[in-house]
């Protein structure tokens, strides 16, 4: 049952990644492009973290735990750095929109 929950979150985070990447390509304003890129990176980081946790459940061995630890560590670093970028660039999105009306 727990595996299905993690698979659900894997699919949702991948869809969010694809959604924000599409929004990034379709956006014309430069700060908004960076903001969507950071949001896509956050979704990708969450995807890798959840994939690593799911690996722990599917392969409960020492090798599985080591691989999962690598995935979780890489995902956490990606998610944290993207979250900081989302916070920073989010401040300027509304201002950029008002200037380019």
């Amino acid at each position: 049952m727990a595996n299905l929950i993690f698979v659900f979150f894997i699919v949702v985070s991948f869809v969010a990644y694809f959604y924000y990447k599409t929004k990034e390509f379709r956006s014309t304003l430069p700060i908004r492009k960076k903001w969507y890129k950071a949001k896509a990176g956050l979704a990708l980081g969450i995807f890798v973290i959840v994939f690593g946790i799911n690996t722990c459940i599917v392969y409960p061995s020492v090798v599985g735990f080591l691989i999962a630890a690598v995935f979780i560590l890489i995902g956490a670093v990606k998610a944290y750095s993207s979250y900081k970028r989302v916070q920073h660039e989010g401040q300027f999105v509304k201002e950029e929109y008002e200037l380019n009306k």
Side-chain angles (χ1 to χ4, degrees):
M1 182 64 182
N3 188 25
L4 293 176
I5 294 170
F6 286 115
V7 168
F8 172 76
F9 285 120
I10 287 170
V11 170
V12 167
S13 62
F14 182 74
V15 168
Y17 171 76
F18 185 71
Y19 173 77
Y20 286 124
K21 271 300 189 184
T22 305
K23 294 287 276 185
E24 175 192 349
F25 289 131
R26 296 186 68 183
S27 180
T28 57
L29 302 175
I31 297 294
R32 189 163 293 218
K33 275 185 177 278
K34 288 182 181 180
W35 189 51
Y36 284 134
K37 183 177 183 178
K39 282 187 166 192
L42 180 61
L44 182 64
I46 292 170
F47 170 80
V48 174
I49 290 170
V50 175
F51 188 81
I53 294 171
N54 192 38
T55 303
C56 287
I57 294 171
V58 174
Y59 302 109
S61 65
V62 174
V63 175
F65 290 136
L66 289 175
I67 292 171
V70 170
F71 277 129
I72 292 169
L73 182 65
I74 290 171
V77 169
K78 177 68 175 170
Y80 179 74
S81 65
S82 295
Y83 176 74
K84 296 303 271 183
R85 284 191 359 227
V86 166
Q87 293 295 335
H88 174 71
E89 291 158 4
Q91 301 169 359
F92 304 110
V93 170
K94 186 175 181 182
E95 180 181 339
E96 180 186 49
Y97 177 75
E98 292 297 325
L99 290 173
N100 292 312
K101 269 188 173 178

